Amino acid sequence: MDAIDLRSDTVTKPSRGMLEAMMKADVGDDVFGEDPTVNALQARVARLFGKDDALFVPSGTMGNEICIKVHTEPGDEIIVDADSHIFVYETAAPSLLSGVQMSPVKGNRGVFTVEQLKAAVRARAYYLPATKLICVENTHGRSGGSVVPAGTLRAIREFAAAEKIKVHLDGARIWNACAASGADPKEFAGGADSISVCFSKGLGAPIGSMIVGDADFIERARRYRKIFGGGMRQVGVLAAAALYALDHNIERLKEDHAKARYLAGELNQTKGLRVDMEEVQTNMVIAETEPSGKTQAEVLEILKSNGVLMTSERRSAIRAVTHLDVSMEQVRRAAAIIRSLF
Ligand code: TLP
């Protein structure tokens, strides 16, 4: 029997319907701005988030890194959450590609208070780095996919605007934040100057992300996309997958959230594992392995040899992510296997 793959919602494969949409895509050279399917996707996503324009990019990482590049100059400083993807999982790319220094602030499940930000923003002096950008992640991956409320984001942006600082939202899983909170994408977008969103996580597309912002920002982002090697040609085949995902795979995200909630409850009742149930708001479950007396790696290996795949998270925890290629039935089976093992 195939393993139950809960490592990430990035592991999904395009469905038959999605593949058919990709085959039918009308394409053109997107470096010339001539791919009609990419143009349609960009216009649709810009509208969805209530911003002027949008730009298709190959990955969430490139989306974040282009935005950081556009918002900053080498020698600037950016405030990031100490547990964010940008700070932890992008191999120090902001330092390498934008020449900026990252100032990590420990948010509460990705939420910064204005007091924390006040303390982190540098005074304006020639001998200090200039704080130019605050990055927020929503949903917040290393906090079990918890949601940063739209009101919090707006308060952050209000504070930042008064300080002449921009706000970037890493919205790789903003769709899950919308599904869980009932908020419209525009409500989250109102709290940010730029947003990067992904189609290749919970939405089930094979590749593709998008940067959203005002017209001038996107024009500059287009230049850096080319510099970073992200200018693609007949990429309408991928934009068609993203359009299909927007049409078919948003409503169903709530099912993934229900699967995660079920799994979290089961793992939390498993001897040796501990889940912070308040974190479980979307499609992720992070379980502490410390009470089991086994290392994270040992637990992952035991699960793997019994047909359940998860990943490591934080220092001593394991992570499961539910998605459209794992059914409730498989999640129940995974939970039963885990409970029988510990
Ligand atoms: N996250 C992956 C891993 O890299 C951890 C995952 O399995 O969750 N922002 C956030 C919040 C992300 O979670 C990810 C991917 C990215 C950006 C980067 O997206 P890609 O992988 O498309 O570069």
Side-chain angles (χ1 to χ4, degrees):
M1 200 182 293
D2 281 350
I4 302 170
D5 195 345
L6 296 164
R7 288 172 301 165
S8 182
D9 47 9
T10 59
V11 303
T12 56
K13 295 180 184 168
S15 64
R16 177 167 292 276
M18 186 178 277
L19 288 168
E20 278 166 8
M22 293 168 78
M23 280 202 300
K24 286 190 205 132
D26 200 1
V27 297
D29 190 330
D30 185 48
V31 172
F32 291 139
E34 288 172 2
D35 190 301
T37 312
V38 170
N39 292 340
L41 177 67
Q42 288 174 166
R44 178 166 170 183
V45 173
R47 229 176 14 252
L48 200 59
F49 286 88
K51 299 277 188 204
D52 297 343
D53 209 350
L55 187 70
F56 196 48
V57 293
S59 70
T61 301
M62 192 186 286
N64 285 335
E65 295 305 328
I66 290 174
C67 290
I68 292 167
K69 185 77 185 170
V70 177
H71 285 305
T72 61
E73 299 289 332
D76 286 340
E77 188 167 67
I78 67 172
I79 294 173
V80 292
D81 181 88
D83 265 326
S84 63
H85 195 276
I86 289 174
F87 189 58
V88 180
Y89 294 121
E90 296 187 13
T91 55
S95 322
L96 182 68
L97 301 173
S98 296
V100 295
Q101 170 163 287
M102 286 186 276
S103 168
V105 173
K106 183 89 191 81
N108 177 18
R109 296 195 188 116
V111 173
F112 301 128
T113 62
V114 168
E115 284 63 40
Q116 277 182 303
L117 294 172
K118 270 187 193 151
V121 171
R122 304 277 180 182
R124 301 287 176 199
Y126 80 87
Y127 49 83
L128 295 173
T131 309
K132 289 287 181 61
L133 182 66
I134 298 168
C135 299
V136 182
E137 181 175 311
N138 203 6
T139 63
H140 191 262
R142 279 166 69 91
S143 302
S146 49
V147 178
V148 176
T152 305
L153 258 166
R154 278 198 302 276
I156 291 173
R157 193 179 183 200
E158 213 169 283
F159 162 79
E163 299 280 337
K164 297 196 167 35
I165 295 171
K166 302 288 187 192
V167 177
H168 171 65
L169 172 60
D170 177 352
R173 294 188 179 84
I174 197 70
W175 322 104
N176 298 83
C178 291
S181 65
D184 186 90
K186 289 189 189 71
E187 293 179 52
F188 289 113
D193 297 280
S194 61
I195 311 148
S196 59
V197 303
C198 293
F199 307 108
S200 61
K201 313 275 179 313
L203 296 195
I207 306 172
S209 292
M210 195 156 273
I211 298 171
V212 196
D214 68 28
D216 174 58
F217 180 87
I218 294 298
E219 213 29 64
R220 294 172 60 213
R222 194 183 308 281
R223 182 174 176 78
Y224 286 116
R225 180 182 69 174
K226 193 74 180 76
I227 291 171
F228 288 175
M232 299 182 283
R233 303 292 178 175
Q234 285 71 20
V235 72
V237 286
L238 295 179
L243 284 166
Y244 181 93
L246 291 177
D247 287 336
H248 296 90
N249 295 341
I250 287 193
E251 277 305 308
R252 58 154 311 284
L253 286 173
K254 286 196 174 118
E255 296 169 29
D256 294 342
H257 299 181
K259 288 179 245 173
R261 244 184 339 267
Y262 170 81
L263 183 64
E266 289 293 301
L267 297 194
N268 199 33
Q269 287 178 48
T270 303
K271 201 162 167 264
L273 299 178
R274 192 178 55 233
V275 178
D276 176 352
M277 294 297 288
E278 280 183 30
E279 278 187 354
V280 188
Q281 300 171 15
T282 58
N283 67 333
M284 289 187 189
V285 182
I286 295 181
E288 261 307 322
T289 62
E290 229 162 36
S292 71
K294 294 186 172 56
T295 67
Q296 191 180 45
E298 284 167 344
V299 172
L300 288 174
E301 199 43 51
I302 295 170
L303 297 186
K304 188 177 174 187
S305 54
N306 284 277
V308 180
L309 305 181
M310 294 194 191
T311 51
S312 55
E313 188 52 277
R314 303 194 288 232
R315 199 173 50 83
S316 56
I318 54 171
R319 182 187 82 163
V321 187
T322 55
H323 51 78
L324 76 179
D325 282 356
V326 62
S327 65
M328 186 65 185
E329 158 56 25
Q330 285 174 303
V331 169
R332 280 189 212 284
R333 211 162 65 230
I337 292 170
I338 295 164
R339 294 202 64 168
S340 74
L341 288 170
F342 288 88

